[in-house]
Amino acid sequence: MLRTLLAAVAASLVAVAASLVAVAACAQPAPPPANAQPNDYGNQANWLCWPGRADACASDLTTTVVQPNGATSVQTFKADPHAKIDCFYVYPTVSHDPGMVSDMTVKPEETNVVIQQAARLTAHCRLYAPMYRQVTLAALYYYTLHPPTPGSSPMARPQIGYNDVKDAWNYYLAHENHGRGVVLVGHSQGSGVLTLLLRNEIDGKPEQAQLVSAILMGTVLPVPQGKDVGGVFAHIPLCSTPGQTGCVIAYSSFRQASLPPPDNTRFGRVRAEGMEAACVNPANLAPGGAGPAQSYFGALINNSAGAPFPWLKDKPIATPFVSVPGMITAQCVESGPFHVLAITTHDAPAASPRSNTIPGDVVVMGRLQANWGLHLIDANLFMGNLVDIVGAESAAWTKAHP
């Protein structure tokens, strides 16, 4: 069953790109009902992941590790049933539901993305992941391809998704937290929702005392140029050292070879005077530092042609995940007006069967969509680094809060 789920997420990486074209002729998605009722987050059916439950976050994460020379080994994974801190994860835009906002039914797209982006964090935290009525792919791409005309009203982003996540957060605090530290984790739309939650409900409030860190991937977080605090958050700084707590990691990934991004890119740029997009490198938290990415890719992630990516030229990968140590390094760079996380890949020896590149670009009808960068794999690129960071934070939090 797991390989079926991972095959679906592999297909979804291509489907996301194809949707840019597919919805061009579609009717405008229906808006959410005006009288939508709050969800009951006391009902575990409204949670994608819940600690101790046999759900997506308890999936098989066994990994084939492929060395530069092509040698392979198998790495197993086990969650920590006695984790000292919690993680609260909000998933990105994945819903294939036809309306402007999704329903609350768990479907393969939600299951797949939490396996890729968050399940491995259970090595160091109990993982809570609420379902929420998010803005769907249909709505995102309709308004991408049908932008408002000059003088018309822009798309009104529904508040229902944010309200759902806030309700889930408040339920978690009231019934599950019990004074534990918590890491907030999101990607893309999930990061946007968590940014609002941090600003409105946590920054400068008593709840900030529980914040271990916030990991906001694939988003634009404005900060004053050269500063580690300010902008959206008045009291929560960017992370800069291992084991630091109460801080934020934010970044958007682009191939080094593609920099600078095109002017219409969605990430890495703040147009306000004196501000820049935050960039914190999970591979080296020191400002401007470079480091090796500890990546975990779904072994069945497709290439742009729709076939499983050939991590090895001579045989397929038999485990759900693959890791390629030594292939990828990362560094935050200023490139024109952009502040992005530059991804460099390094060739294997000439005789090695290991691939010399990685998938992750958005390609539509054979054309690279450079303005997306490596948005699809922001989490995969640094999953091992993020696990290590959360582990160090957990140790620091536990020491400070015996």
Side-chain angles (χ1 to χ4, degrees), residues 8 81 85 94 102 106 112 114 163 176 189 194 196 204 209 214 216 258 264 294 300 323 341 343 347 401:
I85 63 171
V94 294
S102 64
V106 178
N112 296 333
V114 75
N163 290 339
E176 293 293 316
Q189 183 176 169
L194 285 178
L196 291 176
L216 306 176
S258 72
N264 67 339
Q294 300 176 40
L300 296 181
S323 180
L341 189 47
I343 304 301
D347 290 350
H401 300 81

Side-chain angles (χ1 to χ4, degrees), residues 309-331:
F309 188 80
W311 297 103
L312 283 167
K313 302 168 188 174
D314 55 352
K315 60 183 178 181
I317 300 297
T319 57
F321 282 85
V322 61
S323 180
V324 284
M327 181 188 286
I328 304 164
T329 55
Q331 184 175 20

Side-chain angles (χ1 to χ4, degrees), residues 5-6 9 12 48 56 89-94 107-119 134 187 376 379-380:
L5 290 173
L6 292 179
V9 79
S12 72
L48 179 57
Y89 168 72
V90 182
Y91 51 87
T93 311
V94 294
K107 301 183 182 70
E109 54 262 35
E110 289 90 9
T111 300
N112 296 333
V113 77
V114 75
I115 294 172
Q116 297 286 323
Q117 293 192 343
Q134 70 166 205
H187 180 244
L376 297 177
N380 300 85

